[in-house]
């Protein structure tokens, strides 16, 4: 190991050694270590673009992530409904519930809800209200129709909040603390954080109800559909329903053919 080295001396072997060093010394999974390599590539690309180096050590290097079946955490529709219909004695819990449910039906992340303003809600060519805004994280535009439930939540807080805010914002940490309390009150044993709402929207609200993955990707504001495929796990119920529809179509076609 060295404390310093010239960028022009970096090659593919060094990159592979860097990956192994992170995995072996910091207990990182392959994908987490590969994220560090990605960030390292950003630094090298900056040096290349500013003319500090001419050769690209990443030219022949491929960043490869392993597919995982890790549960990213989402609620099913029954659990979403349970939280939505629950009466809370605490006004703060009710507000946190409203924000969480809002994201369950819009797929907006915490930061994007914080930055949401009235001007982001526009009437589309179809006459419906749409949330159209660039995501804070990627600057990619996400578009999602404002369904009845999130529309009603916005109406609830209309003209009642300061500084042009349209939803009652608190810190993410406090939000997650309250969500754990909400989960306990509702008897939901899953670890509830605000980001679970986004996963729940993708999986249980959109994909499970037959919205094509290309449309889900656009709603989530992803830069490519592969991210959506990992992010939004297709539920067993969705697979079962799709196969049932196929079975019925094949059965109907067979009956017609055999007449």
């Amino acid at each position: 190991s060295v404390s310093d080295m010239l960028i022009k001396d970096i090659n593919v072997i060094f990159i592979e050694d860097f990956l192994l060093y992170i995995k072996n010394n910091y207990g990182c999974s392959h994908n987490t270590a590969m994220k560090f390599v990605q960030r390292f590539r950003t630094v090298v690309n900056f040096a290349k673009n500013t003319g500090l180096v001419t050769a690209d050590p990443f030219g022949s290097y491929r960043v490869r992530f392993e597919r995982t079946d890790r549960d990213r955490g989402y609620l099913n529709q029954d659990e979403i409904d349970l939280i939505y219909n629950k009466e809370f004695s605490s006004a703060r819990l009710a507000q946190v519930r409203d924000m969480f449910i809002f994201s369950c039906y819009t797929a907006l992340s915490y930061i994007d809800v914080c930055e949401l303003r009235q001007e982001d809600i526009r009437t589309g060519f179809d006459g419906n209200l749409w949330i159209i805004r660039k995501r804070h994280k990627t600057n990619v535009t996400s578009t999602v129709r404002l369904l009845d439930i999130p529309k009603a939540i916005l109406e609830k807080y209309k003209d009642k909040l300061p500084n042009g805010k349209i939803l009652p914002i608190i810190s993410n940490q406090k939000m997650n603390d309250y969500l754990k309390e909400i989960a306990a009150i509702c008897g939901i044993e899953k670890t509830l954080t605000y980001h679970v709402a986004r996963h729940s929207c993708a999986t249980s609200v959109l994909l499970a109800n037959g919205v094509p993955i290309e449309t889900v990707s656009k709603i989530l504001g992803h830069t490519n559909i592969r991210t959506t495929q990992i992010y939004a796990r297709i539920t067993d119920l969705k697979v079962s329903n799709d196969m049932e529809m196929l079975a019925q179509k094949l059965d109907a076609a067979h009956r017609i053919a055999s007449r």
Side-chain angles (χ1 to χ4, degrees):
S1 91
V2 292
S3 59
D4 203 2
M5 70 182 296
L6 297 173
I7 291 181
K8 67 181 180 65
D9 293 336
I10 295 169
N11 54 28
V12 174
I13 295 172
F14 175 85
I15 297 167
E16 283 289 356
D17 287 345
F18 178 57
L19 177 69
L20 289 172
Y21 177 79
I22 294 170
K23 289 169 74 171
N24 294 337
N25 290 276
Y26 293 96
C28 293
S29 69
H30 172 81
N31 287 356
T32 302
M34 194 58 84
K35 277 288 183 183
F36 283 102
V37 173
Q38 271 191 323
R39 294 180 185 112
F40 179 46
R41 182 169 64 180
T42 301
V43 175
V44 173
N45 283 343
F46 175 80
K48 190 179 71 170
N49 293 336
T50 53
L52 289 173
V53 290
T54 53
D56 183 4
F58 281 92
S60 59
Y61 187 85
R62 293 289 171 267
V63 172
R64 291 187 176 88
F65 290 97
E66 295 173 350
R67 293 294 299 270
T68 67
D69 291 324
R70 183 183 60 185
D71 185 355
R72 289 174 173 261
Y74 69 93
L75 300 180
N76 60 39
Q77 189 64 57
D78 288 343
E79 290 166 329
I80 294 171
D81 293 342
L82 181 60
I83 292 173
Y84 176 61
N85 292 313
K86 191 73 175 178
E87 293 287 338
F88 294 103
S89 56
S90 160
R92 177 57 81 190
L93 283 181
Q95 288 178 343
V96 169
R97 180 271 309 283
D98 289 345
M99 286 193 61
F100 182 81
I101 292 296
F102 183 84
S103 283
C104 281
Y105 287 94
T106 61
L108 292 183
S109 67
Y110 170 79
I111 186 63
D112 288 322
V113 169
C114 288
E115 295 178 353
L116 189 65
R117 293 293 180 268
Q118 192 61 48
E119 55 265 30
D120 297 322
I121 301 171
R122 313 171 208 169
T123 302
F125 69 91
D126 57 0
N128 294 304
L129 288 176
W130 290 74
I131 297 173
I132 303 172
R133 71 181 318 276
K134 288 189 175 180
R135 289 192 64 210
H136 179 93
K137 181 179 177 181
T138 60
N139 213 32
V140 173
T141 300
S142 77
T143 58
V144 57
R145 181 176 158 180
L146 200 58
L147 300 170
D148 287 343
I149 288 176
K151 196 187 299 181
I153 290 170
L154 287 176
E155 282 295 321
K156 181 177 177 179
Y157 295 100
K158 189 174 182 181
D159 301 326
K160 294 180 181 176
L161 301 171
N163 304 322
K165 291 179 181 177
I166 58 178
L167 286 167
I169 306 298
I170 60 173
S171 75
N172 199 7
Q173 182 179 346
K174 283 188 177 179
M175 184 88 71
N176 289 337
D177 287 342
Y178 283 122
L179 283 170
K180 286 178 177 59
E181 195 174 335
I182 286 172
I185 291 170
C186 293
I188 295 171
E189 295 183 359
K190 296 173 181 176
T191 302
L192 212 54
T193 66
Y194 196 83
H195 208 62
V196 168
R198 184 166 159 85
H199 294 294
S200 302
C201 183
T203 307
S204 299
V205 175
L206 298 172
L207 281 175
N209 286 303
V211 176
I213 198 161
E214 295 84 0
T215 303
V216 175
S217 192
K218 180 68 175 173
I219 290 169
L220 294 174
H222 284 162
T223 53
N224 65 70
I225 204 161
R226 283 182 301 173
T227 308
T228 316
Q229 288 169 333
I230 297 170
Y231 198 110
R233 191 176 68 179
I234 299 175
T235 61
D236 292 340
L237 179 62
K238 174 73 168 72
V239 174
S240 174
N241 289 343
D242 287 348
M243 292 305 291
E244 179 60 27
M245 286 174 60
L246 174 62
Q248 290 177 10
K249 285 179 181 178
L250 292 175
D251 184 49
H254 176 71
R255 286 201 306 271
I256 291 170
S258 60
R259 284 177 183 170

